[in-house]
Amino acid sequence: MARRRYIQAINDALLEEMDRDPKVILFGEDVELAIFGDTRGLLDRFGRDRIRNTPICEATLTGMAVGAAAAGYRVVLHMMFSNFVYTGFDAIANQMAKLRLMTGGQLNLPITVLAGYGAGRSTGAQHSDTPYPLLMNLGGVNVLTPSTPADAKGLLKQAIRGENPSFFLEASGRGAESGEVPDEDYTVPFGQAAVLREGRDVTVVAIGHMVKPVLGVADELAERGVGVEVIDPRTLVPLDEESILRSVERTGRLVVVDEARDRCGAASHIAAVVADRAFPALKAPVKRVSVPNVAMPYAPSAESRVLPDADGVSKAVLGLVAP
Amino acid sequence: MPTTEQLLSMYERMLLIRRMEERLSADYAAGKLPGAVHLYIGQEAVAVGVCAQLTDRDWITSTHRGHGHFLAKGGDPKAMMAEIWGKRTGICRGMGGSMHVADLSKGILGANGIVAGGIAIATGAAFGARLDGDGRVAVAFFGDGAANQGVFMETLNVSTLWGLPVVFLCEYNHFCEFTPSETVTAGQISDRARAFGMPCAVVDGNDVVEVWRAAGEAVERARGGGGPSFIEAKTYRIQGHLEAEAVILDGKYREEAEIEEWRRRDPIDRLREHLSAAGACDDDGFAEIESRVSGAVEEAAAFAAEGEPADPELAFDLMFVGQRP
Ligand SMILES: Cc1ncc(C[n+]2csc(CCOP(=O)(O)OP(=O)(O)O)c2C)c(N)n1
């Protein structure tokens, strides 16, 4: 095991996978100098045939990712901030997510799209979105939301080696966090949630950035005699429904903490699955802690008002056990 | 040629933009600003030369590097500063921030965090002006990087076809973030506009008079129903892409000598020399302007510092008209 920062773990995965398979190529705006640090050192090691800066033209980049994949490459497309996924959305929604079906399965699209997401640093409404609900709704793309360096590395390797388009959403603002990462070559399979902490009273499903504050709340509530089971789904598509259901069968209570806007979010999807498949086990309504349906305001005073925080999670959990 | 009075007024406006941004740079370094700022230092002649040809009824759209456009179009320095500080006294009540400063009363449709996001908005405003037939004009400011987005070519096409009163104002400042522009831009950007049959001008963006003249022609053409024009202003981004860059980058992407060379072509110094040589202003005169500008900056900074933090509940009121989110 070695201690790595989240962003270093991503960088390690890219280096190792590009080393391992000469068909892996990476492109995007300003990837050569590595603004986020995740593509650092790649240019020196692999040269411009395999990693290069592109013009600013997201609508073309997403389409090119599809074409380059069709031509036999394993494409890593870096889209910087998740809001720029919107600028490139046409080819994502109309091509990347659909071509395999439309061609009768003639085509595999091994594409990994990287993008930092999330708010909390006053980046304003156009640099802070959490777009996974939109991506989950497409049907044809995987959605990965690693919360730890080890999962980031393992999921990214899995995505690059896989045959399907995957969106790898980086916990950007808090990418500096560090954790233990295995030394050996490993991957983290899709669709396997991690039970990060066991508890008997309430199941809390936390996604991406939300995992860390939720673990803090679980510690705190344990001292007050409330057992919180914390589950990180790690991938939203595919979603490990069984691990969540198994936990809810035992606790009978569920809170989902989601940094996306509330309407049609990951939290509502998970709540629907549980209502559908574990209804008899539920002792209380399923609660969602998410972002209200507003654009992200700039000022810290207003931004912190709408972002889920430890206090909100704690209240939601206690609201289920207290009455 | 602009009158002496016009030149002095442009000089003062350029200086105001410069001093406001120097203040923002210091405030950022001191940790006083919540979000990122992209500074316009070195490009002031473009915004000022163009906006001197516009009235409050004309529209502009701007970019992530939008403070200069905002101030040049007559936006209030106090309200801009307070916005960047995240205060409720800000021009967007603290909801937008540096990348989104907008003042509809001055025709400023907003800075924009999406590269090329403003170009189609300006084209749409010009469509409205065309329908109204009231002689209003829209100017889209955008960077050379934005000219590689498909929407640029798409708006060139539709605006030419429909004869829209829009001016495409490309500021070629040599970088797209940390990527040298020539490595991501094929050919001359002006040739793209020329291909649609659009009148084009390529000007020295550090010469406010040249910018003013080209903008004057384009604006007059648009007002008179002559359709769109394209102007490329060659300039240089003296400051980095964003104020945090020294911290986030571990490599260099340009040489100090290059920056020095462009400092020698500083648009404000050049106008000052011109005004001195023409006998339009002496040292006392310049000192007076400097002191008026620094008074305005101090006033803006104090206004921003004193303001209450933005209203945490406001986002819920603002998403829709007459409807809760
Ligand atoms: C759609 C979109 N893609 C990428 C970015 C990230 N980004 C911000 S500024 C910038 C470079 C813009 O270059 P240019 O248009 O020349 O303007 P300049 O910064 O030089 O003023 C990039 C790529 C963005 N904000 N929006």
Side-chain angles (χ1 to χ4, degrees), chain A residues 30 35 58 126 263 298 301 305, chain B residues 84 113 149 177 310 313 325:
Chain A
D30 246 319
I35 316 177
E58 293 86 6
Q126 291 175 339
R263 195 176 292 128
Y298 164 78
S301 54
R305 160 71 179 82
Chain B
I84 299 168
Q149 291 276 34
E177 291 188 347
E313 300 303 321

Side-chain angles (χ1 to χ4, degrees), chain B residues 38-261:
Chain B
H38 305 79
L39 300 185
Y40 193 63
I41 290 175
Q43 301 180 217
E44 296 89 345
V46 183
V48 170
V50 171
C51 291
Q53 299 287 4
L54 302 176
T55 73
D56 285 357
R57 300 187 65 245
D58 296 316
W59 287 291
I60 63 164
T61 60
S62 169
T63 70
H64 54 285
R65 203 174 300 292
H67 309 149
H69 307 130
F70 180 91
L71 294 171
K73 190 69 171 51
D76 174 20
K78 298 202 300 292
M80 183 184 95
M81 197 67 118
E83 182 62 28
I84 299 168
W85 280 59
K87 298 302 181 71
R88 65 182 72 189
T89 46
I91 188 68
C92 303
R93 303 157 83 181
M95 298 292 109
S98 160
M99 266 194 287
H100 304 289
V101 286
D103 183 351
L104 273 289
S105 73
K106 298 282 183 190
I108 305 165
L109 292 172
N112 210 307
I114 297 301
V115 169
I119 306 178
I121 296 175
T123 305
F127 182 37
R130 177 73 210 250
L131 295 177
D132 284 345
D134 63 356
R136 288 205 224 188
V137 167
V139 177
F141 288 99
F142 56 96
D144 51 89
N148 290 324
Q149 291 276 34
V151 71
F152 172 52
M153 275 57 77
E154 296 171 31
T155 48
L156 290 176
N157 182 52
V158 74
S159 63
T160 304
L161 279 174
W162 295 2
L164 302 182
V166 56
V167 179
F168 297 93
L169 202 299
C170 178
E171 299 187 57
Y172 194 100
N173 70 1
H174 291 82
F175 294 97
C176 307
E177 291 188 347
F178 315 108
T179 302
S181 301
E182 70 275 9
T183 65
V184 283
T185 309
Q188 296 299 315
I189 295 171
S190 54
D191 285 342
R192 300 178 188 178
R194 233 170 245 126
F196 292 86
M198 194 178 288
C200 289
V202 179
V203 300
D204 177 350
N206 284 22
D207 180 342
V208 74
V209 176
E210 229 188 273
V211 173
W212 179 88
R213 212 180 274 129
E217 280 173 25
V219 168
E220 197 181 302
R221 184 178 303 120
R223 280 203 210 294
S229 307
F230 172 88
I231 299 171
E232 178 175 334
K234 300 275 192 199
T235 181
Y236 190 80
R237 201 191 68 201
I238 293 281
Q239 202 78 355
H241 168 59
L242 81 174
E243 284 306 279
E245 84 180 34
V247 182
I248 60 174
L249 292 183
D250 68 351
K252 251 186 21 178
Y253 65 97
R254 55 180 180 169
E255 295 303 323
E256 195 53 45
E258 177 183 283
I259 305 174
E260 258 324 300
E261 192 198 313

Side-chain angles (χ1 to χ4, degrees), chain A residues 148-172:
Chain A
T148 66
D151 285 348
K153 185 172 180 188
L155 286 171
L156 182 51
K157 283 170 158 266
Q158 180 74 22
I160 293 172
R161 292 180 197 179
E163 291 303 322
N164 298 305
S166 296
F167 279 74
F168 181 94
L169 299 174
E170 299 183 11
S172 58

Side-chain angles (χ1 to χ4, degrees), chain A residues 209-239:
Chain A
H209 291 136
M210 298 293 109
V211 170
K212 196 172 173 213
V214 164
L215 285 170
V217 170
D219 284 344
E220 219 174 274
L221 292 182
E223 283 169 27
R224 295 163 64 177
V226 179
V228 175
E229 181 140 305
V230 180
I231 299 187
D232 174 0
R234 303 201 282 190
T235 65
L236 294 170
V237 178
L239 179 67

